[in-house]
Each structure stands twice: as C-alpha cells, then as structure tokens.
C-alpha cells in the first residue's frame, strides 16, 4: 500500500484583503467577496520566491514527522511554472537546501491540476521501483505577482495568491492513494499565458513597455463560452473516473478538496457530486497546484476527517486538464 503519510503548508505573512483587490482592480468589493468567493489572499514578499516557500513547507513537514532529509529518496516539485529563474529546475535547489543529498530531484511542467497528478506520479514511481521508500512532493506559487489588475481580460485570475505545500508519499503508509483520472482539452491551450518571454515573442523593451510579461487571456469571450460548456462535465468526469478506479462512486465521497474558483462553480461541482463536505479556500485564493493539498492539510489538522473517509482531490489547470485522485483516510 502506498499512502500520503503527512502534509504541511506555508503561507506568506502578507494578506491582501478583498477591499485592497477591489481598489487595485476597480471591481466592487462585494463582487470580489460574493462572486469571486474571495475574502483575501496571501502575497509573497518581493524577495520570497517559489523555492523559498517550497523549502519552508517541506522543512515543516520533515520536522513534524522527525524525518532525516537523508532518508528522502525523491524530491518532486509540481508547483507553478513561474519560478525563481526561467528555463530552470527548482527541485534540485530545493533538495539541496533541505539537505536531501541522496534524493533524485524531479519536477514536471504542470499548472493548477498539479496536486492530483503529483500524487498519481509519486504513487506510480514507488510502484515501479520497489527499492524506493518515499517521495517528497512540494509545490509553491507566487503568481499574484504575475497579475495586472488593470487588464480586464485577466480578471478571472485576480484570485491568484501565493503559498506552498508539501506531502510525503510513502510505501506501507496510511492514507492510501487509490484511483486517479485525468482528461485534457487542448483547444484551450493558447488562451491563458504570459505572452512574452518565450521563443514566440522574446523579451524586449517593447514587450516590457506593453506589459506583455503578465498573465493574459487571448479571447476572454471565446474562452468563457467554451469553458462554460465543458468545465462542469469534465470536473465530474475526472472525479467519476478516479472513483471508479477506486471501486467507489460519488455517494462514497466524504470530503472534497478542490482548487479555489468562483463560488457558483464550486457549488455546482459539490451538487453534481452528491453534496459531500467540501473545503473552500476563500482566505487564500488560488495558488496553482497548491490548493487541494493545502485543503487536505487543513482538514486533517482540524479533525474534519475520520479513518476510512474517502477524500477526493479535484483540480483543473489551464491547458486545459481536469484531474482527480482519491485517498482513503
């Protein structure tokens, strides 16, 4: 049996309120709170980077579990693609700073669907290589710094915040990782991106002056129209696929840990899955791949989960991929 043995999280000290987001964006505070479902979010300091937050979350986890960093076999980073440097891997630096000198440092390029996929990869890694004992999964995001609050095209991303999470996936551990499922619709692949800085549009004085290095949406109306048709069905399909592979169905879900999204979509997903208890991160916003594991960490520490509960971790990421993983608590 392979399980998620422990979790830990880190959130920056700075908390940006809904009122401050309203002031910066021109969107009424009531809309931020009620429709965006956001009371506020954490924002990293200017000198606080993805690797720093990931190291902090992982250090907390290893400390609380009494795990020697030299016992870690794999460090797997699955957080935001926007890291300390471009064209750079964060995982080797994270492993080095943790003192995990025996660990193989691994990361994969993914976005907000990160948590369910990371747990799937870690479980499969341990299944495939019996000599490995554990995988330390870490993720962080500071994508609040990629927001241009004056760009109305990107307003659905104004809930993006900063934070980090870590999990220890172990062989012969509790909280068994069960079924996983994912599906992708690549027709949305070019909609959400930072337009400049890559090979298509290299960085220049002109791209900086035009504010092309912030998150943007190519065609908001087309994207919204397309996602309105497929988002809910695809969230449900990802969930049902993971549940079927776990020998379960939606009625068996005890707790749902998803990504932060507008309140109406969250409620629709909960309803479609039979109204399980569910986390809602209205005090953190959306933090790329961090959200579901942070929600699970909170639920576990709050005593909201009982032994044997089926927990569904559900996410979607621009690209567009919907993913789910089931854990038996």
């Amino acid at each position: 049996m392979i399980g998620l043995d422990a979790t830990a999280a880190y959130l920056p000290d700075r908390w940006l309120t809904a009122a401050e987001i309203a002031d910066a964006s021109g969107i009424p505070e009531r809309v931020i709170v009620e429709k965006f479902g956001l009371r506020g979010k954490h924002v990293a300091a200017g000198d606080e980077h993805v690797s720093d937050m990931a190291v902090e979350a992982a250090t907390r986890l290893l400390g609380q579990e009494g795990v020697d960093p030299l016992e870690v076999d794999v460090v797997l980073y699955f957080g935001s693609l926007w890291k300390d440097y471009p064209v750079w891997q964060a995982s080797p630096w994270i492993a080095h700073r943790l003192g995990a000198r025996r660990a193989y440092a691994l990361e994969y390029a993914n976005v907000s669907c990160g948590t369910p996929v990371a747990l799937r990869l870690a479980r499969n890694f341990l299944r495939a290589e019996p000599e490995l004992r554990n995988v330390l999964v870490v993720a962080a995001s500071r994508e609040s710094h990629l927001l241009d609050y004056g760009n109305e095209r990107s307003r659905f991303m104004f809930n993006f915040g900063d934070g980090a999470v870590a999990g220890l996936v172990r062989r012969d551990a509790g909280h068994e990782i069960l079924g996983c499922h994912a599906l992708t619709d690549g027709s949305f692949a070019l909609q959400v991106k930072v337009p400049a800085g890559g090979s298509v549009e290299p960085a220049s004085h002109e791209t900086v002056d035009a504010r092309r290095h912030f998150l943007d949406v190519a065609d908001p109306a087309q994207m919204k129209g397309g996602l309105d048709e497929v988002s809910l069905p695809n969230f449900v399909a990802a969930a049902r696929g993971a549940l079927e592979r776990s020998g379960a169905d939606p009625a068996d879900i005890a707790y749902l840990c998803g990504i932060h999204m507008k309140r109406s979509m969250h409620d629709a997903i909960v309803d479609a899955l039979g109204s399980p208890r569910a986390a809602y991160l209205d005090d953190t916003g959306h933090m790329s791949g961090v959200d579901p594991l942070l929600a699970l960490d909170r639920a576990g520490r709050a005593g909201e989960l009982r032994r044997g509960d089926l927990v569904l971790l559900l996410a979607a990421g621009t690209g567009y991929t919907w993913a789910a993983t089931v854990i038996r608590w």
Side-chain angles (χ1 to χ4, degrees):
M1 183 174 77
I2 295 168
L4 178 63
D5 203 31
T7 59
Y10 168 75
L11 296 170
D13 292 335
R14 172 80 168 99
W15 196 64
L16 193 70
T17 67
E20 291 175 290
I21 297 167
D23 288 342
S25 65
I27 299 171
E29 181 181 359
R30 176 185 58 80
V31 174
I32 299 291
V33 174
E34 296 178 5
K35 293 191 175 181
F36 283 55
L38 187 64
R39 295 187 293 110
K41 61 185 183 180
H42 294 265
V43 174
D47 61 352
E48 190 173 34
H49 304 291
V50 155
S51 68
D52 301 319
M53 292 186 286
V55 166
E56 180 61 33
T59 298
R60 292 181 180 187
L61 186 154
L62 297 177
Q64 76 186 22
E65 297 301 308
V67 175
D68 185 336
L70 292 174
E71 297 175 8
V72 176
D73 292 324
V74 181
V75 174
L76 190 163
Y77 175 81
F78 66 95
S80 170
L81 300 182
W82 191 52
K83 297 169 287 192
D84 310 29
Y85 306 99
V87 196
W88 179 76
Q89 286 196 52
S91 56
W93 184 228
I94 293 167
H96 174 75
R97 291 172 65 183
L98 290 172
R101 293 192 296 274
R102 288 186 53 259
Y104 163 47
L106 169 69
E107 62 188 76
Y108 73 96
N110 226 316
V111 283
S112 301
C113 57
T115 288
V117 180
L119 296 178
R120 183 180 189 176
L121 291 179
R123 181 203 63 181
N124 292 352
F125 213 75
L126 292 176
R127 282 180 173 177
E129 302 192 29
E131 67 275 17
L132 297 178
R133 300 162 298 172
N134 59 65
V135 178
L136 176 65
V137 296
V138 293
S141 176
R142 71 188 303 270
E143 292 187 5
S144 75
H145 291 257
L146 281 179
L147 298 175
D148 178 357
Y149 289 106
N151 179 5
E152 290 192 2
R153 292 188 304 276
S154 64
R155 60 184 286 159
F156 87 94
M157 293 181 277
F158 291 173
N159 67 329
F160 282 16
D162 305 335
V165 72
L168 187 62
V169 179
R170 274 178 163 163
R171 193 181 305 283
D172 301 321
H175 313 325
E176 184 180 7
I177 299 171
L178 301 174
C180 311
H181 187 62
L183 58 153
T184 296
D185 183 341
S187 66
F188 297 99
L190 297 181
Q191 282 286 1
V192 178
K193 58 187 180 293
V194 175
S199 61
V200 171
E201 189 175 344
S204 66
H205 289 294
E206 290 76 15
T207 64
V208 173
D209 291 343
R211 301 181 68 78
R212 300 280 286 169
H213 295 269
F214 294 91
L215 282 164
D216 201 0
V217 180
D219 188 332
Q222 183 182 53
M223 179 177 173
K224 182 180 186 304
L227 285 178
D228 283 349
E229 292 183 10
V230 302
S231 278
L232 181 58
N234 284 350
F235 270 120
V236 173
R240 287 187 178 276
L243 288 163
E244 287 172 7
R245 293 179 178 183
S246 306
D249 59 46
D252 298 316
I253 302 171
Y255 202 88
L256 170 64
C257 296
I259 59 173
H260 183 269
M261 61 187 75
K262 63 182 181 179
R263 174 69 76 171
S264 59
M265 177 58 76
H266 170 83
D267 291 345
I269 293 169
V270 172
D271 289 346
L273 295 176
S275 299
R277 291 177 296 138
Y280 192 68
L281 301 173
D282 62 353
D283 65 321
T284 67
H286 177 49
M287 298 167 288
S288 190
V290 170
D291 297 10
L293 202 56
L294 174 70
L296 181 68
D297 179 71
R298 285 182 164 184
R301 292 178 189 278
E304 296 179 9
L305 304 176
R306 297 179 294 275
R307 184 178 179 86
D309 279 351
L310 283 190
V311 182
L312 176 67
L313 292 92
L314 184 64
T318 53
Y320 228 93
T321 294
W322 292 259
T325 288
V326 177
I327 290 177
R328 180 183 291 115
W329 197 251

